[in-house]
Amino acid sequence: MYNLPKKVKIIDVSPRDGLQNEKQVIDLATKLELIERLGQSGVKNIEVTGFVSPKWVPQLADSSQLCEQLIHHKNINYSALVPNLKGMELAIASGMKEVAVFTAASELFTQKNINCSIDESLERFKPVISLAKEHNIRVRGYVSCVLGCPYEGEINPRKVAEVTKKLFELGCYEVSLGDTIGTGTPLKAQKMLTQCTEIASVETLALHFHNTYGQALANIYACLELGAHIIDASVAGLGGCPYAKGASGNIATEDVVYMLEGMGIETGIDLKKLIQTGQWISQKLNKSNNSHVGKAHS
Ligand code: HMG
Ligand code: MG
């Protein structure tokens, strides 16, 4: 009846997107345990940290130790954010096999987030990606502000597609489309994705939707109908960007898994264990759980 996928790939970004935005700095043991628990819940793709400047994001200052101490399970894909050559060198030294470069469809956000223009960021990624290729490291790309910017407001979907195209040309194998401040609604999300599928296969485009206005699940569903089947999410709905005022958490991984499994779409994730992981990390952070499914089971 509908063009829905049979299987969805989920990337849990909570150790990076979630913990980067916490006021308190989380100890390394808790971060490692979160990653381990996510793996035990059946999550096969985990974004564990960012090799970003500790002056800009002190919460992730332990990225090298974290990656060195991480238990690398063979069936799990671990990745980390890398903004520049310095970050890439640190990621290589820490044994990472996948990294993600990140830019945006908004000039002002790019300036605030990584201190350069969009074009400069893409130039910066050239040597980063060549070095990654030399070391057989896979590179994912992010485009932020695909459905709105905290500084520029509305973003033209054509700009999103243009930046996405450049990331693929530079050598990214997948590009994640970030609704950084969660202002998107379903038809806008479809319009934006449709524009991107004119320059790339939907097989290579991921959805990274923050849930500020409670729209993320509806936006994801709207994009599933167009064939999208790669979803970034964050256990307990942790997340936010320190350089995007008003950005709240990502869509909770539990809520995505509940919706997908309820529609007969395979995720490979054990919902019960995932809910326990969400409850555990929320208690550790001493904050309320943003997952609706998690709340219903507590
Ligand atoms: P800058 O200040 O312009 O960098 O920052 P610089 O090259 O002039 O270097 C300044 C200092 O930082 C130097 O140290 C460098 O060595 C050091 P000093 O000589 O002063 O002692 N440095 C580094 N240290 C460690 N690791 C590095 C690194 N690079 C430089 N990689 C920079 C430019 C890009 C580094 C900075 O702006 C930065 O780190 N930004 C990251 C911001 C960030 O992490 N934002 C959140 C993630 S993005 C996000 O959440 C959106 C997403 O989830 C998708 C969505 O939701 O839309 C992905
Ligand atoms: Mg994000």
Side-chain angles (χ1 to χ4, degrees):
M1 184 168 54
Y2 301 107
N3 181 28
L4 293 174
K6 289 200 168 45
K7 213 172 159 184
V8 157
K9 170 180 162 189
I10 292 184
I11 296 102
D12 191 290
V13 296
S14 61
R16 192 278 303 171
D17 202 326
L19 303 186
Q20 77 180 10
N21 207 40
E22 287 300 313
K23 284 200 180 70
Q24 46 184 323
V25 175
I26 315 303
D27 63 276
L28 184 55
T30 302
K31 293 178 176 180
L32 288 165
E33 189 170 346
L34 171 61
I35 297 163
E36 190 58 22
R37 281 177 184 251
L38 288 169
Q40 281 167 12
S41 307
V43 181
K44 294 281 180 292
N45 302 280
I46 310 174
E47 194 173 79
V48 295
T49 189
F51 289 93
V52 295
S53 163
K55 287 185 190 134
W56 285 63
V57 185
Q59 291 86 341
L60 303 185
D62 57 2
S63 49
S64 291
Q65 294 101 296
L66 183 138
C67 293
E68 281 154 19
Q69 291 184 31
L70 191 67
I71 305 167
H72 287 258
H73 295 282
K74 274 204 180 82
N75 57 343
I76 301 178
N77 191 29
Y78 301 95
S79 66
L81 282 193
V82 156
N84 55 14
L85 212 39
K86 174 151 190 176
M88 189 66 232
E89 283 159 1
L90 291 169
I92 292 168
S94 306
M96 293 308 289
K97 295 278 167 261
E98 176 163 336
V99 296
V101 294
F102 54 107
T103 184
S106 149
E107 282 297 349
L108 281 178
F109 177 78
T110 310
Q111 283 293 349
K112 300 260 185 196
N113 195 38
I114 50 174
N115 208 18
C116 61
S117 68
I118 299 171
D119 281 348
E120 282 164 350
S121 73
L122 295 165
E123 266 316 299
R124 209 179 256 183
F125 297 155
K126 283 183 186 164
V128 171
I129 295 175
S130 327
L131 188 59
K133 301 264 149 157
E134 273 173 41
H135 290 261
N136 281 327
I137 294 173
R138 304 202 312 159
V139 185
R140 197 175 194 239
Y142 272 107
V143 182
S144 284
C145 299
V146 300
L147 293 169
C149 168
Y151 310 103
E152 292 183 12
E154 289 282 320
I155 295 291
N156 189 328
R158 276 201 291 272
K159 183 70 190 174
V160 179
E162 183 192 308
V163 178
T164 301
K165 183 167 184 254
K166 287 185 181 157
L167 284 173
F168 280 118
E169 283 168 357
L170 288 179
C172 292
Y173 78 93
E174 183 174 292
V175 171
S176 182
L177 302 164
D179 183 8
T180 317
I181 51 167
T183 47
T185 44
L187 296 184
K188 276 190 188 169
Q190 284 190 331
K191 201 168 155 194
M192 180 278 297
L193 183 65
T194 302
Q195 195 76 50
C196 291
T197 54
E198 285 186 13
I199 58 90
S201 157
V202 75
E203 303 287 320
T204 58
L205 296 168
L207 313 171
H208 178 107
F209 294 166
H210 285 257
N211 200 30
T212 320
Y213 294 89
Q215 300 297 300
L217 262 190
N219 295 344
I220 288 171
Y221 179 79
C223 292
L224 288 177
E225 283 193 331
L226 299 182
H229 59 88
I230 309 169
I231 301 173
D232 296 357
S234 179
V235 78
L238 300 175
C241 176
Y243 296 99
K245 204 166 171 283
S248 74
N250 285 79
I251 184 64
T253 315
E254 300 91 307
D255 296 358
V256 174
V257 171
Y258 179 83
M259 179 180 82
L260 294 173
E261 299 280 343
M263 295 194 295
I265 299 172
E266 218 181 291
T267 63
I269 294 176
D270 180 329
L271 183 57
K272 204 168 150 205
K273 285 191 183 160
L274 187 68
I275 289 170
Q276 284 163 358
T277 302
Q279 288 168 342
W280 171 82
I281 190 65
S282 301
Q283 274 163 14
K284 278 274 176 194
L285 301 179
N286 205 11
K287 65 191 293 187
S288 68
N289 189 333
N290 284 329
S291 155
H292 289 82
V293 176
K295 274 186 203 130
H297 283 77
S298 61

